[in-house]
Amino acid sequence: DVKVTQSSRYLVKRTGEKVFLECVQDMDHENMFWYRQDPGLGLRLIYFSYDVKMKEKGDIPEGYSVSREKKERFSLILESASTNQTSMYLCASSLTGAGMNTEAFFGQGTRLTVV
Amino acid sequence: ELKVEQNPLFLSMQEGKNYTIYCNYSTTSDRLYWYRQDPGKSLESLFVLLSNGAVKQEGRLMASLDTKARLSTLHITAAVHDLSATYFCAVRNSGNTPLVFGKGTRLSVIA
């Protein structure tokens, strides 16, 4: 089974802190994604990566950065946390290609509260 | 820009009844996905639909895809309480582009 593991289920951070959210997948997937989920807004893409050291902005990258130094690990960084970044953060990974097994597999989510 | 719309966003249905959730998308796509999310949990993949006319069934859930109409449906047959969850459809343009999600349909099945 594909396993996508996020480092924390719950985090509480103070405004202005630098926050690191870590995500690790164990299925050798090329693609990794960070989404945030907010009530009424669904899932919105923050950043994604198709390969090591490669990153692409999603729909809402402002206030965030990412790092992918190894294939299995994709980190989301909040440079200076703000209260409007309080949200559920979901990491996902997927294979490249046109076959059936290309759906995204999600981690358990990190609920971040910025106070 | 690819947009995905689901309706309804909220659905309360009685046990034993049938209902359909609709997912419309705005541009050509090579595949469509349905996910389920239980409260406080992450997303679980339900179906992957690859081609026009594709139909997939699992238990009381059946998903179909009409690429010409840019429409997918998730049909619920004889609903039971265990189906209460939020259901998302997601669409991919092509290749390795990320999934774009609808806002989800929160389903509540009541006795």
Side-chain angles (χ1 to χ4, degrees):
Chain A
D1 277 356
V2 175
K3 195 165 183 183
V4 180
T5 304
Q6 294 181 230
S7 52
S8 304
R9 286 296 305 274
Y10 302 95
L11 275 179
V12 180
K13 296 292 182 180
R14 295 194 179 278
T15 300
E17 276 193 78
K18 191 168 185 176
V19 181
F20 293 86
L21 303 183
E22 306 285 347
C23 176
V24 177
Q25 50 94 3
D26 65 359
M27 285 301 291
D28 204 34
H29 284 174
E30 297 89 353
N31 308 320
M32 296 190 75
F33 311 89
W34 277 105
Y35 291 88
R36 65 176 280 178
Q37 183 177 20
D38 300 288
L41 297 178
L43 277 77
R44 293 179 293 166
L45 181 67
I46 306 171
Y47 267 96
F48 60 101
S49 170
Y50 293 142
D51 201 352
V52 175
K53 297 192 184 295
M54 174 269 173
K55 61 185 178 185
E56 294 281 348
K57 293 181 180 179
D59 299 317
I60 51 165
E62 295 78 19
Y64 303 95
S65 63
V66 291
S67 172
R68 194 165 181 202
E69 296 296 318
K70 293 185 178 180
K71 189 175 185 179
E72 66 270 19
R73 186 180 297 269
F74 192 35
S75 303
L76 180 69
I77 304 152
L78 286 66
E79 297 291 342
S80 177
S82 64
T83 55
N84 64 11
Q85 292 178 309
T86 292
S87 186
M88 169 72 91
Y89 289 87
L90 292 166
C91 174
S93 71
S94 71
L95 279 173
T96 294
M100 278 296 296
N101 55 339
T102 55
E103 69 263 47
F105 293 88
F106 283 82
Q108 76 276 30
T110 297
R111 186 166 293 281
L112 172 67
T113 303
V114 182
V115 298
Chain B
E1 181 188 350
L2 175 57
K3 293 189 184 299
V4 181
E5 287 191 5
Q6 281 181 243
N7 69 83
L9 297 182
F10 299 94
L11 176 57
S12 180
M13 55 190 298
Q14 284 188 308
E15 281 188 330
K17 297 291 187 183
N18 304 333
Y19 209 83
T20 300
I21 299 169
Y22 296 89
C23 175
N24 289 92
Y25 54 98
S26 60
T27 63
T28 302
S29 169
D30 71 343
R31 58 197 57 213
L32 187 140
Y33 305 82
W34 283 96
Y35 286 86
R36 169 182 172 142
Q37 185 180 37
D38 292 298
K41 300 287 181 66
S42 192
L43 278 74
E44 172 191 357
S45 176
L46 291 174
F47 300 111
V48 180
L49 301 170
L50 291 182
S51 59
N52 189 42
V55 177
K56 294 281 185 72
Q57 182 161 6
E58 179 77 31
R60 300 173 187 275
L61 299 177
M62 184 174 72
S64 65
L65 178 62
D66 180 345
T67 57
K68 293 177 182 175
R70 297 179 185 159
L71 171 69
S72 180
T73 60
L74 181 66
H75 187 72
I76 303 152
T77 302
V80 293
H81 180 72
D82 285 352
L83 290 179
S84 296
T86 299
Y87 293 86
F88 291 91
C89 67
V91 178
R92 193 184 79 173
N93 261 334
S94 63
N96 287 326
T97 55
L99 298 184
V100 177
F101 284 81
K103 292 188 177 179
T105 298
R106 185 185 292 181
L107 171 65
S108 178
V109 181
I110 55 178

